[in-house]
Amino acid sequence: MVIEIPGLFDAAEVREMRDALERADWADGRATAGHRAARVKENEQLPLDHPLARQLADRVLDRLGKTPLFIAAALPAKVLQPRFSRYDGSGHYGNHVDNAIFPIPGTGEHLRSDVSGTLFLSDPDEYEGGELVIEDMFGTHTARLPAGSLIVYPGSSLHRVEPVTRGTRFVSFFWTQSFIASPERRRLMFELDGAIQSVAADHPEHSSVDTLTQVYHNLLRQWSAT
């Protein structure tokens, strides 16, 4: 399931974040890639221990926690600290699949990457190329979203970033461990949640709203335990 979430941050917020990122010291992005992924990765990343990385990551995490569409789509149990990257001068990231398990820095715990997320911090007219191409069970999806918009997709999908041939592409990216590991079940829960919201808006007093809500939470209770 691929879900686009427009306007996670508005233009003024993106400009503020970008101003800080453009002044930051960047590192070779291959340092954080797995053995195979490093062979097809050419970009720069903000080091995780950079003070700006932590500051902006906290800002992204706070906004995600206040975004109903993200919560409905990902059913987040844990979200790994968002990271930041830039692509220019033919920078790209070839076909790869994200690591299934990531260590959570400073905790000794780990996170299962059920859902991947990319937050666009450059508008499409600021660069050429750089499309995010996602291949999952429902086909191929290509995204070049407005700055401030987010796309979430299965962590199990094969995906890539096409070469950036003009300008600079700034993004934040992160992984979420969902309460429901199965992408098929997460999709059903997302569709059920949307149906409940529609029925509640059109017929707020109808008894089916309570019944559907009961079914939703009982499925969540059952599937989150597996």
Side-chain angles (χ1 to χ4, degrees):
M1 181 173 66
V2 178
I3 301 292
E4 296 181 7
I5 303 175
L8 189 72
F9 289 95
D10 64 29
E13 292 173 315
V14 171
R15 184 69 262 169
E16 181 183 351
M17 297 167 75
R18 278 279 302 280
D19 285 345
L21 290 170
E22 288 168 2
R23 296 192 302 268
D25 295 322
W26 295 79
D28 190 333
R30 288 173 291 189
T32 60
H35 173 70
R36 184 168 182 82
R39 297 164 55 190
V40 297
K41 185 177 185 181
E42 186 177 327
N43 69 1
E44 293 179 299
Q45 285 184 207
L46 198 61
L48 276 176
D49 58 358
H50 193 295
L52 179 63
R54 181 73 263 179
Q55 175 190 340
L56 294 183
D58 286 345
R59 190 169 180 178
V60 173
L61 288 171
D62 179 71
R63 187 61 53 86
L64 291 174
K66 298 174 181 176
T67 304
L69 185 54
F70 169 74
I71 294 170
L75 292 172
K78 302 176 187 177
V79 181
L80 196 64
Q81 176 184 336
R83 307 175 184 197
F84 298 84
S85 64
R86 55 176 286 172
Y87 295 76
D88 57 15
S90 296
H92 62 278
Y93 199 164
N95 270 343
H96 65 284
V97 63
D98 294 331
N99 292 345
I101 304 293
F102 284 92
I104 301 176
T107 68
E109 299 179 359
H110 292 78
L111 174 146
R112 186 184 63 242
S113 60
D114 298 321
V115 180
S116 298
T118 297
L119 170 63
F120 289 78
L121 296 172
S122 296
D123 275 317
D125 62 1
E126 295 184 89
Y127 62 98
E128 291 179 0
E131 295 87 354
L132 173 63
V133 182
I134 304 159
E135 300 175 8
D136 68 2
M137 66 184 72
F138 300 106
T140 300
H141 311 265
T142 300
R144 291 179 82 248
L145 302 185
S149 296
L150 170 69
I151 187 168
V152 293
Y153 51 97
S156 57
S157 63
L158 194 67
H159 54 282
R160 65 183 181 272
V161 177
E162 300 287 11
V164 173
T165 57
R166 179 188 66 83
T168 303
R169 175 189 189 265
F170 288 92
V171 297
S172 176
F173 59 100
F174 58 90
W175 296 276
T176 300
Q177 178 171 317
S178 176
F179 280 112
I180 296 181
S182 162
E184 295 85 2
R185 289 178 175 180
R186 273 200 314 277
R187 184 183 185 91
L188 288 173
M189 293 296 286
F190 180 74
E191 292 173 346
L192 178 57
D193 182 55
I196 292 170
Q197 300 304 320
S198 295
V199 173
D202 294 339
H203 308 283
E205 303 303 325
H206 200 289
S207 62
S208 62
V209 174
D210 292 330
T211 302
L212 289 170
T213 301
Q214 179 187 30
V215 170
Y216 177 92
H217 285 284
N218 284 337
L219 283 174
L220 181 59
R221 185 176 291 108
Q222 177 180 340
W223 287 348
S224 64
T226 59

PDB file of all heavy atoms in Angstrom, residues 189-213:
ATOM      1  N   MET A 189      -7.091  -2.788   7.387  1.00  0.00           N
ATOM      2  CA  MET A 189      -7.393  -1.910   8.512  1.00  0.00           C
ATOM      3  C   MET A 189      -7.533  -0.463   8.045  1.00  0.00           C
ATOM      4  O   MET A 189      -8.405   0.281   8.528  1.00  0.00           O
ATOM      5  CB  MET A 189      -6.300  -2.025   9.566  1.00  0.00           C
ATOM      6  CG  MET A 189      -6.238  -3.390  10.249  1.00  0.00           C
ATOM      7  SD  MET A 189      -7.737  -3.762  11.196  1.00  0.00           S
ATOM      8  CE  MET A 189      -7.514  -2.692  12.606  1.00  0.00           C
ATOM      9  N   PHE A 190      -6.684  -0.051   7.108  1.00  0.00           N
ATOM     10  CA  PHE A 190      -6.759   1.311   6.574  1.00  0.00           C
ATOM     11  C   PHE A 190      -8.086   1.536   5.852  1.00  0.00           C
ATOM     12  O   PHE A 190      -8.739   2.567   6.035  1.00  0.00           O
ATOM     13  CB  PHE A 190      -5.584   1.548   5.628  1.00  0.00           C
ATOM     14  CG  PHE A 190      -5.548   2.915   5.023  1.00  0.00           C
ATOM     15  CD1 PHE A 190      -5.170   4.015   5.779  1.00  0.00           C
ATOM     16  CD2 PHE A 190      -5.897   3.112   3.693  1.00  0.00           C
ATOM     17  CE1 PHE A 190      -5.137   5.284   5.216  1.00  0.00           C
ATOM     18  CE2 PHE A 190      -5.865   4.374   3.126  1.00  0.00           C
ATOM     19  CZ  PHE A 190      -5.480   5.468   3.890  1.00  0.00           C
ATOM     20  N   GLU A 191      -8.498   0.551   5.059  1.00  0.00           N
ATOM     21  CA  GLU A 191      -9.762   0.674   4.338  1.00  0.00           C
ATOM     22  C   GLU A 191     -10.952   0.651   5.293  1.00  0.00           C
ATOM     23  O   GLU A 191     -11.926   1.402   5.106  1.00  0.00           O
ATOM     24  CB  GLU A 191      -9.879  -0.442   3.306  1.00  0.00           C
ATOM     25  CG  GLU A 191      -8.868  -0.300   2.163  1.00  0.00           C
ATOM     26  CD  GLU A 191      -8.845  -1.491   1.224  1.00  0.00           C
ATOM     27  OE1 GLU A 191      -9.422  -2.545   1.589  1.00  0.00           O
ATOM     28  OE2 GLU A 191      -8.260  -1.372   0.129  1.00  0.00           O
ATOM     29  N   LEU A 192     -10.883  -0.193   6.318  1.00  0.00           N
ATOM     30  CA  LEU A 192     -11.958  -0.243   7.305  1.00  0.00           C
ATOM     31  C   LEU A 192     -12.049   1.069   8.067  1.00  0.00           C
ATOM     32  O   LEU A 192     -13.151   1.597   8.303  1.00  0.00           O
ATOM     33  CB  LEU A 192     -11.733  -1.410   8.265  1.00  0.00           C
ATOM     34  CG  LEU A 192     -12.738  -1.581   9.405  1.00  0.00           C
ATOM     35  CD1 LEU A 192     -14.168  -1.715   8.874  1.00  0.00           C
ATOM     36  CD2 LEU A 192     -12.373  -2.794  10.269  1.00  0.00           C
ATOM     37  N   ASP A 193     -10.900   1.627   8.436  1.00  0.00           N
ATOM     38  CA  ASP A 193     -10.889   2.903   9.140  1.00  0.00           C
ATOM     39  C   ASP A 193     -11.518   3.996   8.282  1.00  0.00           C
ATOM     40  O   ASP A 193     -12.328   4.801   8.767  1.00  0.00           O
ATOM     41  CB  ASP A 193      -9.452   3.277   9.504  1.00  0.00           C
ATOM     42  CG  ASP A 193      -9.365   4.574  10.283  1.00  0.00           C
ATOM     43  OD1 ASP A 193     -10.032   4.700  11.322  1.00  0.00           O
ATOM     44  OD2 ASP A 193      -8.635   5.491   9.845  1.00  0.00           O
ATOM     45  N   GLY A 194     -11.175   4.016   6.988  1.00  0.00           N
ATOM     46  CA  GLY A 194     -11.762   5.009   6.100  1.00  0.00           C
ATOM     47  C   GLY A 194     -13.270   4.849   5.970  1.00  0.00           C
ATOM     48  O   GLY A 194     -14.010   5.842   5.932  1.00  0.00           O
ATOM     49  N   ALA A 195     -13.740   3.602   5.916  1.00  0.00           N
ATOM     50  CA  ALA A 195     -15.174   3.353   5.821  1.00  0.00           C
ATOM     51  C   ALA A 195     -15.897   3.822   7.081  1.00  0.00           C
ATOM     52  O   ALA A 195     -16.989   4.412   7.005  1.00  0.00           O
ATOM     53  CB  ALA A 195     -15.435   1.870   5.590  1.00  0.00           C
ATOM     54  N   ILE A 196     -15.285   3.571   8.232  1.00  0.00           N
ATOM     55  CA  ILE A 196     -15.896   4.019   9.499  1.00  0.00           C
ATOM     56  C   ILE A 196     -16.010   5.539   9.514  1.00  0.00           C
ATOM     57  O   ILE A 196     -17.054   6.099   9.905  1.00  0.00           O
ATOM     58  CB  ILE A 196     -15.068   3.526  10.694  1.00  0.00           C
ATOM     59  CG1 ILE A 196     -15.161   1.998  10.810  1.00  0.00           C
ATOM     60  CG2 ILE A 196     -15.538   4.179  11.996  1.00  0.00           C
ATOM     61  CD1 ILE A 196     -14.188   1.402  11.808  1.00  0.00           C
ATOM     62  N   GLN A 197     -14.947   6.228   9.077  1.00  0.00           N
ATOM     63  CA  GLN A 197     -14.971   7.687   9.070  1.00  0.00           C
ATOM     64  C   GLN A 197     -16.066   8.218   8.130  1.00  0.00           C
ATOM     65  O   GLN A 197     -16.760   9.186   8.456  1.00  0.00           O
ATOM     66  CB  GLN A 197     -13.603   8.236   8.643  1.00  0.00           C
ATOM     67  CG  GLN A 197     -12.437   7.840   9.530  1.00  0.00           C
ATOM     68  CD  GLN A 197     -12.635   8.225  10.978  1.00  0.00           C
ATOM     69  OE1 GLN A 197     -13.153   9.301  11.277  1.00  0.00           O
ATOM     70  NE2 GLN A 197     -12.228   7.342  11.884  1.00  0.00           N
ATOM     71  N   SER A 198     -16.241   7.571   6.985  1.00  0.00           N
ATOM     72  CA  SER A 198     -17.260   8.007   6.037  1.00  0.00           C
ATOM     73  C   SER A 198     -18.664   7.806   6.582  1.00  0.00           C
ATOM     74  O   SER A 198     -19.523   8.700   6.487  1.00  0.00           O
ATOM     75  CB  SER A 198     -17.102   7.242   4.716  1.00  0.00           C
ATOM     76  OG  SER A 198     -15.883   7.564   4.090  1.00  0.00           O
ATOM     77  N   VAL A 199     -18.912   6.629   7.165  1.00  0.00           N
ATOM     78  CA  VAL A 199     -20.237   6.349   7.724  1.00  0.00           C
ATOM     79  C   VAL A 199     -20.525   7.293   8.884  1.00  0.00           C
ATOM     80  O   VAL A 199     -21.638   7.840   9.013  1.00  0.00           O
ATOM     81  CB  VAL A 199     -20.339   4.879   8.191  1.00  0.00           C
ATOM     82  CG1 VAL A 199     -21.649   4.644   8.931  1.00  0.00           C
ATOM     83  CG2 VAL A 199     -20.216   3.931   7.006  1.00  0.00           C
ATOM     84  N   ALA A 200     -19.510   7.524   9.731  1.00  0.00           N
ATOM     85  CA  ALA A 200     -19.703   8.409  10.884  1.00  0.00           C
ATOM     86  C   ALA A 200     -19.996   9.842  10.449  1.00  0.00           C
ATOM     87  O   ALA A 200     -20.778  10.555  11.099  1.00  0.00           O
ATOM     88  CB  ALA A 200     -18.469   8.371  11.780  1.00  0.00           C
ATOM     89  N   ALA A 201     -19.385  10.276   9.338  1.00  0.00           N
ATOM     90  CA  ALA A 201     -19.629  11.636   8.853  1.00  0.00           C
ATOM     91  C   ALA A 201     -21.032  11.778   8.275  1.00  0.00           C
ATOM     92  O   ALA A 201     -21.705  12.797   8.475  1.00  0.00           O
ATOM     93  CB  ALA A 201     -18.583  12.000   7.800  1.00  0.00           C
ATOM     94  N   ASP A 202     -21.509  10.736   7.551  1.00  0.00           N
ATOM     95  CA  ASP A 202     -22.817  10.809   6.904  1.00  0.00           C
ATOM     96  C   ASP A 202     -23.962  10.453   7.840  1.00  0.00           C
ATOM     97  O   ASP A 202     -25.065  11.007   7.722  1.00  0.00           O
ATOM     98  CB  ASP A 202     -22.837   9.867   5.695  1.00  0.00           C
ATOM     99  CG  ASP A 202     -21.896  10.301   4.588  1.00  0.00           C
ATOM    100  OD1 ASP A 202     -21.534  11.500   4.568  1.00  0.00           O
ATOM    101  OD2 ASP A 202     -21.513   9.461   3.757  1.00  0.00           O
ATOM    102  N   HIS A 203     -23.714   9.527   8.755  1.00  0.00           N
ATOM    103  CA  HIS A 203     -24.763   9.041   9.654  1.00  0.00           C
ATOM    104  C   HIS A 203     -24.192   8.879  11.068  1.00  0.00           C
ATOM    105  O   HIS A 203     -24.022   7.761  11.563  1.00  0.00           O
ATOM    106  CB  HIS A 203     -25.314   7.700   9.160  1.00  0.00           C
ATOM    107  CG  HIS A 203     -25.747   7.714   7.724  1.00  0.00           C
ATOM    108  ND1 HIS A 203     -26.930   8.278   7.309  1.00  0.00           N
ATOM    109  CD2 HIS A 203     -25.133   7.238   6.603  1.00  0.00           C
ATOM    110  CE1 HIS A 203     -27.044   8.145   6.004  1.00  0.00           C
ATOM    111  NE2 HIS A 203     -25.965   7.513   5.546  1.00  0.00           N
ATOM    112  N   PRO A 204     -23.876   9.985  11.731  1.00  0.00           N
ATOM    113  CA  PRO A 204     -23.174   9.933  13.017  1.00  0.00           C
ATOM    114  C   PRO A 204     -23.899   9.159  14.109  1.00  0.00           C
ATOM    115  O   PRO A 204     -23.250   8.640  15.027  1.00  0.00           O
ATOM    116  CB  PRO A 204     -22.994  11.408  13.392  1.00  0.00           C
ATOM    117  CG  PRO A 204     -24.018  12.148  12.581  1.00  0.00           C
ATOM    118  CD  PRO A 204     -24.154  11.370  11.320  1.00  0.00           C
ATOM    119  N   GLU A 205     -25.198   9.057  14.044  1.00  0.00           N
ATOM    120  CA  GLU A 205     -25.951   8.377  15.097  1.00  0.00           C
ATOM    121  C   GLU A 205     -26.275   6.926  14.754  1.00  0.00           C
ATOM    122  O   GLU A 205     -26.915   6.225  15.557  1.00  0.00           O
ATOM    123  CB  GLU A 205     -27.253   9.142  15.377  1.00  0.00           C
ATOM    124  CG  GLU A 205     -27.053  10.597  15.759  1.00  0.00           C
ATOM    125  CD  GLU A 205     -26.165  10.762  16.978  1.00  0.00           C
ATOM    126  OE1 GLU A 205     -26.237   9.899  17.897  1.00  0.00           O
ATOM    127  OE2 GLU A 205     -25.390  11.731  17.012  1.00  0.00           O
ATOM    128  N   HIS A 206     -25.845   6.469  13.589  1.00  0.00           N
ATOM    129  CA  HIS A 206     -26.201   5.109  13.180  1.00  0.00           C
ATOM    130  C   HIS A 206     -25.462   4.089  14.037  1.00  0.00           C
ATOM    131  O   HIS A 206     -24.264   4.227  14.315  1.00  0.00           O
ATOM    132  CB  HIS A 206     -25.865   4.908  11.706  1.00  0.00           C
ATOM    133  CG  HIS A 206     -26.602   3.761  11.074  1.00  0.00           C
ATOM    134  ND1 HIS A 206     -26.320   2.445  11.359  1.00  0.00           N
ATOM    135  CD2 HIS A 206     -27.626   3.742  10.177  1.00  0.00           C
ATOM    136  CE1 HIS A 206     -27.114   1.657  10.679  1.00  0.00           C
ATOM    137  NE2 HIS A 206     -27.937   2.423   9.941  1.00  0.00           N
ATOM    138  N   SER A 207     -26.179   3.051  14.443  1.00  0.00           N
ATOM    139  CA  SER A 207     -25.580   2.041  15.321  1.00  0.00           C
ATOM    140  C   SER A 207     -24.445   1.274  14.659  1.00  0.00           C
ATOM    141  O   SER A 207     -23.584   0.703  15.346  1.00  0.00           O
ATOM    142  CB  SER A 207     -26.653   1.052  15.785  1.00  0.00           C
ATOM    143  OG  SER A 207     -27.218   0.361  14.686  1.00  0.00           O
ATOM    144  N   SER A 208     -24.408   1.259  13.327  1.00  0.00           N
ATOM    145  CA  SER A 208     -23.342   0.539  12.627  1.00  0.00           C
ATOM    146  C   SER A 208     -21.972   1.153  12.889  1.00  0.00           C
ATOM    147  O   SER A 208     -20.948   0.465  12.783  1.00  0.00           O
ATOM    148  CB  SER A 208     -23.614   0.501  11.128  1.00  0.00           C
ATOM    149  OG  SER A 208     -23.631   1.802  10.580  1.00  0.00           O
ATOM    150  N   VAL A 209     -21.941   2.445  13.239  1.00  0.00           N
ATOM    151  CA  VAL A 209     -20.654   3.078  13.551  1.00  0.00           C
ATOM    152  C   VAL A 209     -20.013   2.387  14.748  1.00  0.00           C
ATOM    153  O   VAL A 209     -18.816   2.076  14.746  1.00  0.00           O
ATOM    154  CB  VAL A 209     -20.836   4.583  13.818  1.00  0.00           C
ATOM    155  CG1 VAL A 209     -19.518   5.208  14.282  1.00  0.00           C
ATOM    156  CG2 VAL A 209     -21.356   5.289  12.573  1.00  0.00           C
ATOM    157  N   ASP A 210     -20.817   2.121  15.783  1.00  0.00           N
ATOM    158  CA  ASP A 210     -20.287   1.435  16.963  1.00  0.00           C
ATOM    159  C   ASP A 210     -19.863   0.006  16.630  1.00  0.00           C
ATOM    160  O   ASP A 210     -18.822  -0.469  17.098  1.00  0.00           O
ATOM    161  CB  ASP A 210     -21.338   1.407  18.075  1.00  0.00           C
ATOM    162  CG  ASP A 210     -21.615   2.789  18.636  1.00  0.00           C
ATOM    163  OD1 ASP A 210     -20.688   3.620  18.623  1.00  0.00           O
ATOM    164  OD2 ASP A 210     -22.750   3.029  19.079  1.00  0.00           O
ATOM    165  N   THR A 211     -20.664  -0.672  15.807  1.00  0.00           N
ATOM    166  CA  THR A 211     -20.333  -2.054  15.449  1.00  0.00           C
ATOM    167  C   THR A 211     -19.043  -2.120  14.645  1.00  0.00           C
ATOM    168  O   THR A 211     -18.162  -2.949  14.912  1.00  0.00           O
ATOM    169  CB  THR A 211     -21.481  -2.684  14.642  1.00  0.00           C
ATOM    170  OG1 THR A 211     -22.685  -2.636  15.419  1.00  0.00           O
ATOM    171  CG2 THR A 211     -21.160  -4.124  14.299  1.00  0.00           C
ATOM    172  N   LEU A 212     -18.915  -1.242  13.651  1.00  0.00           N
ATOM    173  CA  LEU A 212     -17.710  -1.225  12.827  1.00  0.00           C
ATOM    174  C   LEU A 212     -16.480  -0.844  13.650  1.00  0.00           C
ATOM    175  O   LEU A 212     -15.384  -1.396  13.449  1.00  0.00           O
ATOM    176  CB  LEU A 212     -17.882  -0.254  11.661  1.00  0.00           C
ATOM    177  CG  LEU A 212     -18.855  -0.697  10.564  1.00  0.00           C
ATOM    178  CD1 LEU A 212     -19.117   0.461   9.596  1.00  0.00           C
ATOM    179  CD2 LEU A 212     -18.293  -1.894   9.806  1.00  0.00           C
ATOM    180  N   THR A 213     -16.660   0.093  14.568  1.00  0.00           N
ATOM    181  CA  THR A 213     -15.549   0.487  15.437  1.00  0.00           C
ATOM    182  C   THR A 213     -15.124  -0.675  16.324  1.00  0.00           C
ATOM    183  O   THR A 213     -13.923  -0.895  16.556  1.00  0.00           O
ATOM    184  CB  THR A 213     -15.941   1.701  16.286  1.00  0.00           C
ATOM    185  OG1 THR A 213     -16.302   2.788  15.423  1.00  0.00           O
ATOM    186  CG2 THR A 213     -14.796   2.136  17.191  1.00  0.00           C
TER     187      THR A 213
END
